[in-house]
């Protein structure tokens, strides 16, 4: 474990971000350096500008999967890290493991308190808004539920949702339902939540190809889903050259939930987020920056796209360069800033939207390894910042 300062008081604007240090993308090629350090989870205090990393702890995680393979509880006491794997240098392949890691955030430094077995390799994870339940979507097509008991998880149930892989998962702000993305079968399934019980409903939500990451606004009005296209499906897909993909806007204010818009975005929108106030959508797209130099779709940088929701539709509001092969993206609690994971550069970048336009603040947080998953506390919403403003 390595720390960068004492943990801040609970219930500030906390964000957790994980880093896959064993993997390094070099000119679109997957490599596994022999001297790589441990994977890590960083705790970020985003309650004032600039956001800062306040603690870091060793974990096991992976870039392989949706950038929502980490979650923090609403009270800031726990974080759960998913998608654990290790690299077998002899066989030259990744070994995907089946457990969740529970991290205690109540002390001066985070610490691992539990490894909870799962039936299949877990991907996206999400805490219920009241903090008492956690869901994990798996590559086996199941959603596993866990009751939160103090600083521990207790396995509660396993629900078969699909014959194919699942990806992201999130609760609605009222806690009465959850959306789980069917990466292979396509679309989003709707789960009914009653206390600790979950039930698969017949409701399905239309998405683009290979839905991957999902986020909801705190007002309970909107959900946004990123669709990574043919690159997100199993099996050979031929040569992809950075073609456009989509983001889906879903009205979750009433049942049944209903898709109202598909937005065209650059290739591989790994990260999608909706601002807590429900005004903005942020998209972090690779836009060909993951491809090899001999591919005609290769670009050196990805893109951050901003959309504004007005009168029930999303409208383009900003477009700026991002890092190479970017991963997850989140808003701060006051909806004024965006944190984006630049995987190859091993850093988090901060953008501002408080002025009504997308601005790169120039602030960067360097991390140990390539950032791969990032989540903020569910249900958090703040009207103002503690201190500070961008230069």
């Amino acid at each position: 474990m390595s720390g960068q300062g004492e943990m801040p008081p609970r219930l500030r604007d906390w964000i957790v971000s994980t880093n896959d240090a064993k993997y390094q993308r070099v000119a679109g090629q997957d490599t596994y350096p022999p001297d790589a350090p441990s994977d890590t989870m960083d705790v970020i205090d985003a309650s004032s500008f600039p956001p800062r990393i306040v603690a870091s702890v060793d974990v096991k995680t992976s870039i392989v999967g949706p950038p929502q393979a980490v979650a923090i509880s609403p009270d800031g006491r726990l974080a759960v890290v998913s998608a654990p794997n290790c690299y077998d240098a002899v066989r030259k392949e990744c070994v995907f493991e089946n457990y969740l890691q529970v991290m205690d955030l109540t002390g001066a430094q985070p610490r691992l308190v539990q490894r909870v077995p799962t039936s299949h390799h877990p991907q996206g994870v999400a805490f219920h808004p009241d903090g008492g339940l956690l869901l994990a979507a798996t590559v086996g097509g199941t959603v596993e539920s866990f009751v939160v008991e103090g600083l521990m998880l207790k396995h509660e149930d396993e629900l078969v949702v699909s014959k194919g892989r699942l990806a992201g998962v999130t609760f609605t702000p009222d806690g009465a339902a959850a959306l789980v993305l069917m990466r292979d079968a396509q679309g989003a399934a709707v789960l009914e939540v009653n206390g600790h019980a979950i039930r698969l409903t017949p409701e399905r939500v239309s998405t683009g190809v290979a839905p991957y990451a999902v986020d909801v606004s705190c007002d309970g009005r909107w959900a946004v889903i990123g669709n990574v296209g043919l690159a997100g499906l199993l099996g050979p897909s031929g040569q992809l050259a950075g073609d456009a993909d989509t983001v889906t806007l879903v009205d979750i204010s009433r049942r049944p939930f209903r898709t109202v818009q598909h937005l065209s975005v650059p290739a591989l929108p790994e990260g999608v987020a909706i601002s807590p106030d429900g005004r903005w959508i942020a998209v972090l797209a690779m836009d060909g920056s993951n491809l090899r130099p001999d591919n005609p779709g290769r670009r050196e940088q990805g893109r951050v796209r901003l959309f504004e929701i007005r009168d029930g539709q999303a409208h383009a509001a900003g477009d700026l360069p991002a890092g190479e092969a970017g991963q997850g993206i989140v808003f701060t609690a006051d909806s004024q800033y965006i944190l984006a994971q630049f995987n190859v550069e091993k850093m988090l970048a901060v953008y501002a939207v408080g002025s009504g336009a997308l601005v790169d603040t120039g602030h960067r947080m360097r991390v140990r390894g390539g950032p791969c998953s990032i989540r903020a506390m569910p249900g958090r919403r703040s009207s103002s910042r503690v201190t500070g403003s961008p230069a």
Side-chain angles (χ1 to χ4, degrees), residues 179-193:
L179 286 166
V180 57
L181 303 186
M182 299 185 291
R183 179 177 174 181
D184 293 326
Q186 310 303 307
V190 179
L191 309 184
E192 183 179 274
V193 182

Side-chain angles (χ1 to χ4, degrees), residues 16 21 54 56 78 82 169 208 225 248 261 263 267 274 303 324 344 390:
V16 285
V54 296
S56 183
L78 291 177
S82 182
V169 62
I225 296 169
T248 300
Q261 190 178 12
L263 306 168
I274 191 165
R303 309 296 299 182
E324 186 177 350
V344 173

